[in-house]
Amino acid sequence: MKHFINKWYRNHALVYKVLLFLCTTFLIVYLFPKSGKFKYSFDKGKPWQSENLYAPFNFAIKKSLDEIEDEKNDIIKNSPVYFDLETNIKDGVYSAYDLKFKETFTDSILEITSVDLYAKGKSVLKLIYKYGLLDDAYNYAATKDVILLENQVEKRRTTFNNLTKNDSFIRILEQNFNAKGNQRFSSEFVSLFFDIVKPNLKLNEVITDNALKEDLDNISPTRGSIEKETLIISKGEIVEADKFEILKSLESEYASQVWNASNYNLVIFAYALLVALALLMLLLFLRKYRIDVFLDNTKVTFIFFNILLMVFLTTLIINYDSKYLYVIPLCILPLVLKAFFDARLGLFAHVLTVLLLGFIVPNSFEYMFLQIIAGIVTILTVSELYKRANLFVSVGQITLIYIIAYFAFYVIHEGNITNLKFETFGLFILCGLATLFVQPLIYIYEKLFGLVSDVSLLELSDTNTKLLKELSNKAPGTFHHSLNVANLAEASANEIGANSMLVRVGALYHDIGKMKNPTFFTENQSTGINPHDELSSRESVTTIIDHVLNGIEIAKKNNLPDRVIDFIRTHHGTSLVYYFYSKEKEINENTNQDDFRYIGPKPFSKETAILMMCDSVEAASKSLKEPSSTKIDKFVEAIINKQMEDGQFLNANITFKEIQSIKKILKNKLANIFHLRIEYPE
């Protein structure tokens, strides 16, 4: 049991990666839709590239969304409106008219005229109540079908223009009296009718809405069906409107089939295989090309977490409404990974994520093409993320690429731009705005995962930070040396394409350990007193070597990132403190060289190797007497060649060509520092 525990402990990092791999695979498959997928790809107006396709089973041809929408609009337009007709109101109005007429026209007119006026008023009432008088102003088309109900039973059908509007009975009254030459009685009749006329038609909203809902519910989502073994399309045949709808129906049928237990488990297993294969490729890539990332479980977890996050957001949007798919800022993934690692890893992870999403998104080829192109543009355009202007310009370029690519795909599919959906361009703009969230997201990730980005490095490069202020006060010579080394290292990194911001920050902090005993280092000995004169060589070398350990301790106490601490650990590698070793050897011939070497480790990246070269050259350059171009050239060559012979760069992924470029930069910089000039003839 003890042996098993020890073995597990020794391999706990690998066990963790396996568990992380399995958990990520499970979660991604869990988010995926559990259905079959149509194995053919096709585009409207393009030839069918696959073999002749026969119907694998009976299925219905689904109507397009436009067809269903047109049917809905027709039903809404032609659906009748139901009004309740209250007949007792009409009878009451007639009775009230008889009484009111006698009261209004008593002895003021002749008996013959009275009879004639009474009949005219009665005829106007019949016109008003021929179909009925509305109780409100309704906004329906004149030709809208109307059904009049009496006690919930249909009594009569007509059109809306036949009904008397509640504000038009006076107009009817005036027209009839003016036409007959009885204008002098018009005002009395208007007053009379105002008192007696009451609406007898009221909209029955419940029946109207229910009837409309029933008609809408009866819309068939299909039009016809295809029998099994029927030839759907032949190879090379153009996918035109009808064929396209049939193929879309078949594709939809595949996605919506109810799977039995064995099919369901098989689909799950197949998805798991593909997802596991993609994630395995990522792990193999890390192991082969980014071993430092692969060995760090926190960094591997961070990469897997971001991939899972993008899959989760995409499935969330698809389940809500797939038309908002392009709002998801997928380019945040390569941006974040490039900020913390490098461009190659960012692009590789982005492409794998897009391939995974291709299983679940509609128009998968179009989606993958757009996202991969956008990812490439992101990697190529976004540099120096800590500069805000760079991010805004890059996001603008990414958004433009989205719009151009989508426009091209739309023209290819439709053959015209008449129905181009401009709201999709708005989604791309929203996506670009969401991509700007990468800045606060990077800050959050730094706190959660303990990583460091160029944004943090920019903050650390400020010489007004508390730690660098302390260094300048306690060890001003070391601070000045660090600034010179930072300038040399930054120029060298730019020359070979290394991370110049990282190496500059590393150079600024690499000697902070000298703050503990500043006077033991020559650059801080302003009084001419050397404390080493009172110490033995072994005591002196211990003090010198300890500045590395002291620097690591101070850095951790001040929460400097591990990437910066690496420069403190490696800037001397395992090099020999030659002065004190030679001094001790004069006393004791059998002196062990290892006792006078730094504890290491050796530089393990281009940036740490650059710092070692620049630090040694800058420090030793102070001993140059009467410097000339020839002396500087020999001096730089001697120092760096000695480091190479000592094997200090064996663990760093730096080439001979890059070392030669660094030598050239150092020679030019030192020549400028010493103000060397060409000697002109007098």
Side-chain angles (χ1 to χ4, degrees), residues 231-481:
L231 176 64
I232 296 176
I233 193 167
S234 303
K235 185 174 182 179
E237 188 176 348
I238 301 297
V239 182
E240 295 177 325
D242 290 340
K243 298 288 184 182
F244 181 75
E245 294 301 332
I246 294 172
L247 289 169
K248 291 295 287 184
S249 299
L250 181 57
E251 183 181 35
S252 175
E253 193 68 24
Y254 263 92
S256 62
Q257 280 185 11
V258 179
W259 298 88
N260 56 38
S262 61
N263 281 342
Y264 179 83
N265 293 332
L266 198 60
V267 169
I268 293 293
F269 177 71
Y271 270 132
L273 280 179
L274 293 173
V275 172
L277 191 62
L279 295 179
L280 181 62
M281 293 304 104
L282 179 59
L283 287 175
L284 292 175
F285 173 85
L286 293 176
R287 190 173 184 277
K288 186 171 180 63
Y289 298 106
R290 299 292 181 270
I291 189 66
D292 56 320
V293 177
F294 179 79
L295 294 175
D296 191 327
N297 282 340
T298 301
K299 292 178 180 178
V300 176
T301 304
F302 173 74
I303 295 169
F304 275 53
F305 170 79
N306 277 279
I307 292 174
L308 184 61
L309 178 64
M310 290 302 160
V311 174
F312 171 73
L313 290 176
T314 304
T315 52
L316 198 67
I317 292 295
I318 288 174
N319 290 334
Y320 173 70
D321 192 340
S322 61
K323 72 179 182 180
Y324 297 115
L325 181 63
Y326 288 108
V327 173
I328 302 168
L330 203 64
C331 287
I332 279 183
L333 179 61
L335 272 175
V336 167
L337 295 183
K338 184 181 180 182
F340 288 113
F341 306 112
D342 60 80
R344 191 175 178 186
L345 174 56
L347 182 59
F348 191 86
H350 176 73
V351 170
L352 284 181
T353 305
V354 172
L355 291 176
L356 289 175
L357 295 176
F359 292 125
I360 59 174
V361 297
N363 301 319
S364 56
F365 174 76
E366 175 185 321
Y367 176 84
M368 289 191 292
F369 183 90
L370 258 66
Q371 296 295 2
I372 290 175
I373 289 294
I376 293 171
V377 171
T378 302
I379 293 297
L380 293 176
T381 60
V382 178
S383 60
E384 299 177 322
L385 194 60
Y386 54 86
K387 295 181 180 178
R388 289 171 296 179
N390 285 4
L391 179 61
F392 278 96
V393 171
S394 296
V395 166
Q397 291 173 333
I398 294 164
T399 305
L400 182 63
I401 290 297
Y402 271 130
I403 291 172
I404 292 172
Y406 174 78
F407 175 81
F409 268 111
Y410 187 89
V411 172
I412 290 170
H413 290 161
E414 301 296 329
N416 59 71
I417 59 171
T418 52
N419 296 319
L420 188 63
K421 297 178 180 177
F422 289 98
E423 57 266 26
T424 308
F425 296 155
L427 298 181
F428 291 134
I429 293 171
L430 288 176
C431 175
L433 294 175
T435 306
L436 295 174
F437 182 70
V438 70
Q439 286 282 22
L441 186 64
I442 286 173
Y443 177 78
I444 294 168
Y445 279 153
E446 286 179 333
K447 300 305 177 186
L448 288 177
F449 292 92
L451 301 171
V452 60
S453 68
D454 285 351
V455 180
S456 294
L457 291 176
L458 179 65
E459 295 172 358
L460 289 171
S461 68
D462 184 4
T463 54
N464 289 314
T465 58
K466 180 183 176 183
L467 194 54
L468 291 180
K469 278 272 191 183
E470 187 180 354
L471 178 64
S472 67
N473 291 330
K474 289 184 177 180
T478 299
F479 177 71
H480 181 70
H481 159 72

Side-chain angles (χ1 to χ4, degrees), residues 180-203:
K180 301 296 182 181
N182 294 303
Q183 295 92 337
R184 62 194 180 98
F185 299 110
S186 178
S187 60
E188 285 88 343
F189 266 96
V190 168
S191 176
L192 186 153
F193 273 51
F194 253 120
D195 292 336
I196 65 169
V197 170
K198 294 180 180 178
N200 66 336
L201 290 179
K202 184 178 182 181
L203 178 66

Side-chain angles (χ1 to χ4, degrees), residues 592-639:
N592 187 355
Q593 199 178 79
D594 291 340
D595 295 338
F596 290 81
R597 285 188 178 275
Y598 285 95
I599 58 175
K602 295 176 181 179
F604 47 77
S605 67
K606 287 182 182 181
E607 288 77 16
T608 51
I610 289 170
L611 179 61
M612 173 180 271
M613 293 182 232
C614 296
D615 180 42
S616 302
V617 168
E618 203 285 331
S621 68
K622 298 293 188 288
S623 63
L624 277 174
K625 295 178 181 179
E626 297 181 3
S628 64
S629 296
T630 305
K631 279 186 178 181
I632 289 173
D633 288 357
K634 290 180 179 179
F635 166 77
V636 171
E637 289 287 345
I639 289 178

Side-chain angles (χ1 to χ4, degrees), residues 536-559:
S536 68
S537 297
R538 289 188 178 273
E539 289 173 326
S540 293
V541 82
T542 300
T543 305
I544 296 296
I545 290 173
D546 279 352
H547 89 273
V548 173
L549 297 176
N550 293 334
I552 294 170
E553 184 182 344
I554 293 169
K556 287 185 175 179
K557 195 176 291 184
N558 286 270
N559 297 316

Side-chain angles (χ1 to χ4, degrees), residues 97 117 120-125 127-128 168-180 182 185-194 197:
Y97 173 72
L117 284 175
K120 289 172 184 175
K122 198 86 169 180
S123 66
V124 172
L125 280 178
L127 282 174
I128 293 172
S168 63
F169 75 89
I170 296 175
R171 177 176 49 79
I172 296 171
L173 182 66
E174 289 176 344
Q175 286 175 350
N176 276 271
F177 274 82
N178 290 341
K180 301 296 182 181
N182 294 303
F185 299 110
S186 178
S187 60
E188 285 88 343
F189 266 96
V190 168
S191 176
L192 186 153
F193 273 51
F194 253 120
V197 170

Side-chain angles (χ1 to χ4, degrees), residues 507-573:
L508 288 173
Y509 290 90
H510 78 284
D511 269 344
I512 56 174
K514 291 182 179 179
M515 285 192 292
K516 196 163 186 179
N517 298 299
T519 57
F520 281 81
F521 301 91
T522 55
E523 66 265 25
N524 300 311
Q525 295 169 0
S526 57
T527 60
I529 299 172
N530 189 346
H532 289 289
D533 294 340
E534 300 175 4
L535 300 176
S536 68
S537 297
R538 289 188 178 273
E539 289 173 326
S540 293
V541 82
T542 300
T543 305
I544 296 296
I545 290 173
D546 279 352
H547 89 273
V548 173
L549 297 176
N550 293 334
I552 294 170
E553 184 182 344
I554 293 169
K556 287 185 175 179
K557 195 176 291 184
N558 286 270
N559 297 316
L560 288 184
D562 288 338
R563 290 175 77 186
V564 177
I565 295 175
D566 287 340
F567 287 92
I568 301 173
R569 293 165 53 216
T570 62
H571 73 278
H572 285 296

